[in-house]
Amino acid sequence: MYEPEITVITPTRNIVEAGKADDFTLLLNMLNRQTYPYVDHLIMDNASTDDTISLLKDYKNSGYINFFSAPDTGKYDALNKGLIRAKGKYVAFLSCDDFYHDITGLADVVNAMEANNADFCYFPSYCVMPDGQAFLFEPAVYNVFQVMPFPHQACVFKKDTLARLGNFDAKFKMFADYDLMIKLFLNKCHGIYFDGCIVTYQISEQAKKHPTQVKVECNHIYYQEFRHLFPLNENQLDRMVEIAEIPKPLLDKLATCFPGDEKIFYERYEQMYNMRLEAAERARQQERQRNG
């Protein structure tokens, strides 16, 4: 019986110095316990200068991983280089401090993708905050054109589908994964939902630390991906980023990405827009109180 391989790609950089060696060990041990037998773990290291290379060599010699170490221009450049080397029909992406907590998860997801000839499969995930608190992240695919619908860790992709879309656009240093999600839905790729939480991931603080870059990248992503559908001006782009407001002509075109579910799409859009609008107003009131 044919069973396709899945390649899990992990970028690394000085993880020993960063105190993440134990997290990385947990990732490897949980991946090694997966019941699906055809898993290849590929590490793309960004020319680490601490003891990371020695650690990776030990794990490679023990049969846990394959790894390559060379300079890259960021996480998404590393993932793209990993995609070139990946042998699997399917690919997934985990950082060094993420892990699959359900040992049957990959088997279940791959079987579902094979049965449905899916381009990608998304699922709930546990998100761990910097203070250690965790919450369940339920996918919100109908809001994909307003916010990240699910983390890239909570998805398995068909490798050929990503290649057709151009993989990650590595000029986006923080949100290339969001750009990719938008492309998946704009191109009407066949995605399926798996009703099982199989992964735990650590949320990055980079977006909080660099709000200006976040806004610039989101603005650029919206312009790049939607300009062929509607001529967005600067004010419209800013409102899309700040309060999730999409111009009606563009919204109507985006609704066609969810054939048969247009009503749900409009309802979820309105909910998200109102929520972001209220949050923006609260922020303005707090700012006035601080300055008052």
Side-chain angles (χ1 to χ4, degrees):
M1 178 180 175
Y2 167 71
E3 294 192 68
E5 187 169 5
I6 177 171
T7 298
V8 177
I9 303 173
T10 297
T12 59
R13 166 70 180 175
N14 289 347
I15 59 175
V16 174
E17 186 178 273
K20 293 188 175 184
D22 289 343
D23 293 327
F24 184 67
T25 298
L26 175 62
L27 161 64
L28 297 186
N29 286 337
M30 294 304 294
L31 196 57
N32 190 54
R33 292 181 63 195
Q34 287 292 311
T35 60
Y36 193 71
Y38 305 105
V39 180
D40 174 40
H41 194 190
L42 181 59
I43 310 298
M44 301 304 297
D45 180 71
N46 181 15
S48 287
T49 55
D50 61 353
D51 291 331
T52 296
I53 300 301
S54 296
L55 180 70
L56 295 179
K57 285 181 178 178
D58 288 342
Y59 280 121
K60 181 177 181 179
N61 292 337
S62 298
Y64 279 86
I65 63 170
N66 289 307
F67 84 91
F68 300 89
S69 185
D72 59 55
T73 62
K75 175 173 66 176
Y76 298 108
D77 181 42
L79 296 183
N80 282 341
K81 290 177 178 178
L83 283 167
I84 293 172
R85 296 179 180 274
K87 297 182 292 184
K89 176 180 179 179
Y90 299 110
V91 292
F93 308 101
L94 293 182
S95 296
C96 63
D97 48 5
D98 307 327
F99 62 96
Y100 292 119
H101 56 255
D102 183 343
I103 63 172
T104 67
L106 289 182
D108 294 336
V109 168
V110 170
N111 288 337
M113 294 183 74
E114 285 289 288
N116 292 276
N117 192 26
D119 290 307
F120 64 103
C121 178
Y122 55 93
F123 34 86
S125 56
Y126 286 127
C127 172
V128 180
M129 305 294 288
D131 62 2
Q133 295 188 47
F135 66 91
L136 181 66
F137 190 146
E138 289 282 0
V141 296
Y142 295 103
N143 295 112
V144 62
F145 305 122
Q146 296 169 290
V147 294
M148 189 75 169
F150 44 82
H152 64 260
Q153 295 95 328
C155 192
V156 173
F157 307 84
K158 186 180 289 183
K159 179 187 173 184
D160 288 349
T161 299
L162 296 190
R164 177 163 55 86
L165 298 178
N167 294 330
F168 293 100
D169 189 337
K171 70 172 174 285
F172 300 119
K173 302 303 179 185
M174 299 181 67
F175 280 174
D177 51 353
Y178 182 41
D179 177 62
L180 181 63
M181 301 301 175
I182 290 177
K183 288 178 181 176
L184 286 169
F185 286 89
L186 279 181
N187 285 274
K188 297 181 174 62
C189 298
H190 180 34
I192 61 171
Y193 173 70
F194 175 72
D195 188 15
C197 180
I198 72 170
V199 68
T200 299
Y201 78 100
Q202 303 281 337
I203 194 167
S204 172
E205 290 191 282
Q206 292 305 306
K208 186 176 180 180
K209 291 179 179 177
H210 305 283
T212 300
Q213 186 176 349
V214 167
K215 182 177 179 180
V216 168
E217 287 201 10
C218 285
N219 192 298
H220 192 168
I221 287 169
Y222 288 146
Y223 174 74
Q224 175 175 286
E225 302 305 337
F226 300 143
R227 61 184 174 182
H228 66 289
L229 296 175
F230 184 77
L232 291 162
N233 59 43
E234 202 168 307
N235 180 61
Q236 290 168 325
L237 286 166
D238 286 342
R239 291 180 70 83
M240 287 178 68
V241 173
E242 292 171 5
I243 57 174
E245 179 183 276
I246 302 175
K248 187 61 164 60
L250 175 58
L251 186 68
D252 290 341
K253 291 182 179 180
L254 297 177
T256 65
C257 296
F258 297 92
D261 290 335
E262 291 90 346
K263 182 180 179 181
I264 300 175
F265 172 78
Y266 285 115
E267 289 175 350
R268 299 292 171 78
Y269 161 76
E270 197 68 28
Q271 291 170 0
M272 178 61 66
Y273 170 58
N274 289 333
M275 185 175 67
R276 292 281 292 275
L277 199 63
E278 291 169 4
E281 180 57 31
R282 285 196 301 271
R284 283 192 291 269
Q285 290 176 359
Q286 292 170 359
E287 183 67 21
R288 284 194 293 266
Q289 290 172 358
R290 284 194 295 268
N291 297 332

